[in-house]
């Protein structure tokens, strides 16, 4: 188990390194940081001065090495736009994104799992079709449009909830619905297939033969087995929600990491972009490792040797 | 048969239909039988003869699409037809237990043996958890599983097939049922383990006076435990009688064929020549005209292919569904 964990950690570090090399190279070749920093009216002499002052004239691999050595010590440089250390910016924005991500995944699980269970208990009935429609709707609807729609109805017309900002917990309601709705379909469909599979399993027939009441058969015996793959997918979905909130955070003006990513891209703020992308990829790496661990935890066949 | 008042299980004209894509599958066709209290009825037949469907039909565990009709279906004096799901679940596991063929997949992989055993006693016997654990431990010892406390903490995947089937037996007998339906409980096990498991089941049955419906395709097993034997073919009972009568004087050509398939079972058989029944069980989808065994029967006459198939007639000690000319002067009665 220890060797497994070490290997998993080593792999995670390796992926993180690859991601940072790739983003560094891509950013370096697509944006000239000196031009971006100098502004629109700068002369070519100014640009050259900035280039030399910030060391952008040196070979790429030296710049990367320097960034990397500082990054592993937690120093991601200073954002030229915000004028603040990037790590401070990120730590400042993280709670908003985590709150939104956690609420969204709870929302998605809270709707996805019951809908999937109902659809599997009553397959090919109207209940099944309604939950399938919810799934298709959740997957097909564009985030920005759904956000605006909810804003118009609940914030502008009914005035039940704030339009934007992150001042109170109420500000999170609409963004949570938008992000969560997006994560419902995979969770729902996986729960449905998992439940359908389990409900035809021999041990479910045993459970009925034991004379157990339906709620125990469905929720204790069937769901417990069907949920194992759902947990793994939900964990990846959680990473997706944390990293995929750029549109939703910008529409609702929630000052989280997604908003920071959006702002830094708009301002060609390379150190911030670099760090935010690394953080997002770290979410994915971390949560996929978590999904393996959760899988092992929930399945006694893996956990107990 | 006779002595009808003492029968624990009474089944009359039971048929099970399952709609499938190309028609209606008549899995069980007009089956009638009785099992006296404390006795064992063995249902013998090939794969696909409808044995398992019959078992599931008795305790109301058929697939949702299936329909089960009968003129009588009573177990322990309770008429099973028309019982609600909740009423059925009060009987299942409490008065009627069922043991399945596949010990490897019949226990829930996510819960410990203890968990799966105790939940039954908690539900049916209204025991507290600690009492249920003691009871589970006692039952594990009864089926010959030592170190029962440790076993209760284990998961099914940590146990061998033979142990799992014993756990299944212990679990299903925990609430002291009166009828046990065993659907090929030893088929998936090694031969040596088969004997052990069968021994455990048979001795507990005697000890507790359980009525048993035992489904198998293994005539060797049948000869060891059966009081009565029903031979099933294409969804109906072709021969039904006391174990001794059916094994000593098999009357239906199918029963004779089955017994000839066992090495050394009949004296007529030459050494080295193992009997086979040519052909395969006919499709159970749609109606079968005449006798279902017609195309495989060595003694078939043209009349066998006509009409609705033979009715059951009393021949000596058993009931036989056959038109065989040699049986034509037999004492014909309506079935049991």
């Amino acid at each position: 188990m220890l060797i497994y964990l070490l290997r998993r950690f080593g792999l995670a570090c390796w992926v993180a390194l690859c991601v940072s090399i790739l983003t560094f190279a891509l950013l370096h070749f697509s944006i000239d940081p000196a031009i971006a920093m100098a502004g629109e009216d700068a002369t070519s002499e100014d640009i050259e001065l900035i280039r030399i002052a910030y060391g952008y004239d040196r070979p790429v691999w030296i710049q990367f090495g320097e960034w990397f050595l500082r990054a592993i010590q937690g120093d991601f440089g200073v954002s030229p736009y915000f004028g603040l250390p990037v790590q401070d910016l990120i730590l400042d924005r993280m709670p908003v994104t985590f709150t939104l991500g956690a609420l969204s995944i709870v929302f998605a699980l809270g709707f996805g799992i019951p809908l999937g269970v109902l659809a599997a208990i009553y397959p090919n009935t109207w209940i099944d079709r309604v939950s399938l429609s919810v799934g298709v709707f959740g997957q097909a609807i564009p985030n920005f449009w759904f956000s605006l729609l909810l804003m118009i109805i609940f914030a502008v017309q009914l005035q039940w909830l704030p339009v934007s900002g992150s001042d109170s917990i109420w500000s999170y309601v609409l963004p949570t619905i938008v992000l969560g709705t997006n994560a419902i379909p995979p969770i729902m469909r996986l729960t449905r297939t998992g439940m359908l599979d389990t409900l035809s399993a021999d041990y479910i027939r045993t459970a009925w033969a034991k004379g157990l009441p339906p709620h125990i058969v469905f929720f204790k015996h069937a769901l417990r087995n069907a949920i194992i793959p759902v947990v793994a997918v939900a964990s990846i979905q959680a990473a997706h929600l944390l990293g995929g909130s750029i549109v939703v955070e910008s529409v609702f003006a929630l000052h989280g990491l997604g908003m920071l990513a959006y702002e830094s891209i708009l301002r060609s703020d390379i150190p911030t972009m670099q760090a935010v992308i690394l953080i997002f990829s770290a979410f994915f790496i971390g949560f996929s490792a978590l999904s393996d661990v959760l899988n092992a935890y929930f399945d006694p066949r893996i956990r107990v040797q | 048969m006779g002595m009808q008042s003492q029968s624990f299980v009474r089944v009359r004209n039971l048929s099970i239909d399952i709609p499938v894509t190309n028609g209606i599958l008549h899995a069980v066709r007009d089956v009638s039988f009785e099992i006296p209290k404390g006795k064992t009825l063995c249902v013998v037949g090939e794969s696909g003869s409808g044995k398992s469907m019959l078992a599931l039909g008795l305790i109301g565990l058929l697939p949702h699409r299936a329909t089960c009709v009968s003129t009588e279906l009573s177990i322990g004096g309770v008429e099973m037809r028309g019982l609600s799901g909740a009423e059925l679940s009060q009987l299942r596991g409490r008065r009627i237990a069922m043991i399945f063929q596949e010990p490897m997949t019949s226990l829930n992989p996510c819960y410990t043996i203890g968990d799966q055993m105790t939940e039954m006693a908690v539900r049916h016997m209204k025991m507290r958890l600690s009492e249920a654990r003691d009871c589970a431990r006692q039952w594990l010892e009864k089926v010959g599983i030592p170190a029962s406390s440790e076993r209760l903490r284990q998961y099914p995947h940590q146990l061998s097939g033979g142990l799992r089937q014993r756990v299944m037996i212990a679990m299903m007998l925990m609430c002291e049922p009166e009828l046990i339906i065993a659907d090929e409980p030893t088929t998936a096990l090694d031969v040596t383990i088969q004997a052990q498991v069968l021994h455990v089941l048979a001795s507990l049955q005697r000890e507790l006076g359980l009525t048993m419906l035992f489904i198998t395709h293994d005539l060797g097993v049948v000869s060891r435990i059966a009081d009565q034997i029903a031979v099933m073919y294409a969804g109906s009972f072709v021969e039904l009688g006391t174990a001794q009568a059916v094994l000593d004087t098999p009357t239906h050509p199918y029963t004779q064929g089955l017994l000839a398939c066992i090495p050394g079972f009949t004296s007529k058989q030459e050494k080295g020549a193992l009997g086979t029944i040519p052909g395969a069980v006919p499709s159970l989808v749609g109606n079968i005209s005449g006798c279902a065994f017609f195309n495989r029967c060595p003694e078939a006459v043209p009349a066998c292919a006509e009409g609705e198939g033979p009715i059951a007639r009393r021949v000596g000690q058993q009931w036989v569904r056959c038109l065989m000319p040699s049986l034509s002067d037999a004492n014909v009665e309506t079935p049991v």
Side-chain angles (χ1 to χ4, degrees):
Chain A
M1 194 63 190
L2 188 69
I3 292 172
Y4 169 78
L5 282 176
L6 281 176
R7 269 226 314 264
R8 202 74 192 66
F9 183 71
L11 187 71
C13 293
W14 172 244
V15 175
L17 179 68
C18 291
V19 168
S20 47
I21 292 176
L22 204 66
T23 43
F24 200 90
L26 283 175
L27 288 175
H28 189 89
F29 293 123
S30 55
I31 304 167
D32 187 331
I35 296 177
M37 281 170 77
E40 281 174 17
D41 305 325
T43 61
S44 56
E45 286 82 24
D46 293 342
I47 292 170
E48 207 52 40
L49 274 175
I50 288 173
R51 199 188 301 284
I52 292 164
Y54 283 89
Y56 293 138
D57 56 334
R58 294 172 301 163
V60 191
W61 62 271
I62 290 184
Q63 291 184 45
F64 176 75
E66 190 187 47
W67 175 84
F68 182 74
L69 285 178
R70 280 196 278 128
I72 55 176
Q73 298 167 49
D75 174 8
F76 290 91
V78 174
S79 159
Y81 171 70
F82 293 97
L84 289 166
V86 174
Q87 58 273 21
D88 293 354
L89 278 172
I90 286 176
L91 287 177
D92 188 41
R93 302 293 187 95
M94 210 114 85
V96 173
T97 297
F98 273 129
T99 310
L100 179 58
L103 289 172
S104 306
I105 197 73
V106 168
F107 178 84
L109 289 171
F111 278 90
I113 291 178
L115 279 177
V117 169
L118 278 175
I121 294 179
Y122 304 103
N124 306 317
T125 59
W126 65 269
I127 297 173
D128 191 7
R129 278 186 279 275
V130 165
S131 49
L132 190 73
S133 318
V134 170
V136 172
F137 172 81
Q139 197 132 47
I141 199 162
N143 270 349
F144 72 90
W145 182 79
F146 192 36
S147 306
L148 294 175
L149 189 74
L150 290 181
M151 246 188 221
I152 290 170
I153 297 174
F154 294 101
V156 178
Q157 292 189 343
L158 297 173
Q159 300 199 339
W160 288 351
L161 295 160
V163 178
S164 65
S166 46
D167 314 323
S168 78
I169 193 70
W170 298 110
S171 313
Y172 288 95
V173 174
L174 296 180
T176 296
I177 293 174
V178 174
L179 265 186
T181 304
N182 237 269
I184 289 176
I187 290 170
M188 187 213 92
R189 242 176 275 154
L190 207 67
T191 309
R192 181 181 181 272
T193 357
M195 277 296 277
L196 279 178
D197 275 356
T198 357
L199 284 176
S200 63
D202 287 348
Y203 53 80
I204 294 302
R205 193 179 54 186
T206 306
W208 290 120
K210 284 160 83 176
L212 300 175
H215 67 271
I216 301 241
V217 176
F218 288 136
F219 295 101
K220 180 177 173 186
H221 286 273
L223 187 60
R224 179 67 174 75
N225 282 276
I227 209 81
I228 295 171
V230 178
V231 168
V233 163
S235 165
I236 302 291
Q237 282 291 322
H240 203 77
L241 294 179
L242 289 175
S245 55
I246 296 183
V247 172
V248 174
E249 282 187 14
S250 358
V251 172
F252 286 99
L254 279 174
H255 286 271
L257 285 177
M259 185 77 165
L260 183 65
Y262 173 72
E263 287 166 327
S264 63
I265 291 168
L266 219 59
R267 272 87 191 208
S268 297
D269 182 346
I270 291 189
T272 310
M273 272 195 260
Q274 177 83 37
V276 168
I277 292 169
L278 188 64
I279 292 280
F280 283 165
S281 63
F283 286 158
F284 267 92
I285 296 163
F287 276 93
S288 66
L290 179 70
S291 107
D292 286 358
V293 173
L294 284 176
N295 234 354
Y297 177 76
F298 277 101
D299 192 340
R301 283 163 294 188
I302 303 177
R303 175 166 39 106
V304 186
Q305 293 303 319
Chain B
M1 300 278 128
M3 309 296 285
Q4 301 195 344
S5 54
Q6 290 187 9
S7 292
F8 190 77
V9 179
R10 290 164 60 92
V11 174
R12 288 283 176 284
N13 311 108
L14 180 95
S15 295
I16 295 172
D17 290 346
I18 304 168
V20 289
T21 44
N22 54 340
I24 290 174
L25 192 150
H26 302 285
V28 175
R29 300 165 190 243
D30 191 21
V31 161
S32 301
F33 64 92
E34 292 178 6
I35 314 175
K37 195 163 176 50
K39 299 291 181 188
T40 300
L41 169 70
C42 278
V43 177
V44 195
E46 292 170 70
S47 312
S49 58
K51 318 183 288 281
S52 295
M53 283 298 148
L54 173 63
L56 293 175
L58 290 186
I59 56 167
L61 282 184
L62 287 169
H64 289 301
R65 296 162 290 131
T67 54
C68 178
V69 291
S70 56
T71 53
E72 182 177 1
L73 173 50
S74 72
I75 295 177
V78 178
E79 179 55 59
M80 302 287 282
R81 292 174 302 155
L83 285 190
S84 71
E87 288 166 324
L88 270 175
S89 74
Q90 294 289 343
L91 289 176
R92 284 189 212 124
R94 179 69 188 90
R95 300 191 66 190
I96 310 163
M98 181 143 185
I99 296 169
F100 296 102
Q101 181 174 357
E102 280 296 334
M104 302 313 275
T105 52
S106 291
L107 291 167
N108 194 327
C110 281
Y111 293 100
T112 58
I113 303 303
D115 204 344
Q116 298 186 51
M117 289 184 77
T118 49
E119 70 175 352
M120 235 178 135
V122 169
R123 164 148 170 91
H124 292 301
M125 315 285 275
K126 309 283 172 251
M127 285 186 189
R128 276 180 287 128
L129 197 60
S130 57
E131 294 172 319
R133 288 190 82 81
D134 287 338
C135 178
R137 218 171 282 134
Q138 284 165 17
W139 274 97
L140 285 182
E141 314 241 316
K142 270 192 198 171
V143 297
I145 298 180
S148 53
S149 304
E150 193 188 322
R151 293 293 181 203
L152 286 182
R153 284 193 297 271
Q154 288 185 314
Y155 287 92
H157 73 272
Q158 296 169 288
L159 272 54
S160 68
L163 275 181
R164 289 191 211 186
Q165 197 63 303
R166 285 171 195 233
V167 167
M168 192 75 173
I169 293 172
M171 179 167 83
M172 286 302 186
L173 294 184
M174 240 179 120
C175 299
E176 292 160 23
E178 294 152 279
L179 171 69
I180 184 143
I181 300 174
D183 184 5
E184 308 220 24
T186 58
T187 307
L189 304 173
D190 291 343
V191 181
T192 48
I193 309 294
Q194 273 187 17
Q196 292 173 7
V197 169
L198 199 63
H199 177 75
V200 165
L201 193 57
S203 59
L204 281 173
Q205 189 227 347
R206 264 194 308 278
E207 190 186 318
L208 304 167
L210 292 172
T211 310
M212 180 151 77
L213 178 73
F214 195 98
I215 290 172
T216 183
H217 63 261
D218 184 346
L219 282 162
V221 169
V222 171
S223 63
R224 289 182 53 193
I225 60 164
D227 295 306
Q228 293 172 56
I229 296 176
V231 180
M232 199 165 186
Y233 185 79
S236 30
F237 283 178
V238 293
E239 185 158 357
L240 172 65
T242 62
Q244 201 186 3
V246 174
L247 293 175
D248 291 351
T249 56
T251 307
H252 195 282
Y254 178 65
T255 316
Q256 291 170 352
L258 271 187
L259 288 172
C261 293
I262 307 175
F265 204 91
T266 53
S267 49
K268 285 178 277 180
Q269 206 177 311
E270 284 170 42
K271 201 173 181 187
L274 199 56
T276 55
I277 303 174
V281 183
S283 162
L284 296 180
V285 178
N287 290 318
I288 298 173
S289 135
C291 173
F293 191 54
F294 169 70
N295 58 346
R296 300 171 76 187
C297 181
E299 306 192 33
V301 294
C304 294
E306 290 158 14
E308 296 205 340
I311 54 155
R313 294 183 295 167
R314 187 158 196 129
V315 179
Q317 296 287 306
Q318 57 258 53
W319 292 93
V320 182
R321 258 181 214 265
C322 184
L323 281 182
M324 217 192 304
S326 61
L327 300 179
S328 58
D329 55 351
N331 178 16
V332 178
E333 294 173 30
T334 37
V336 275

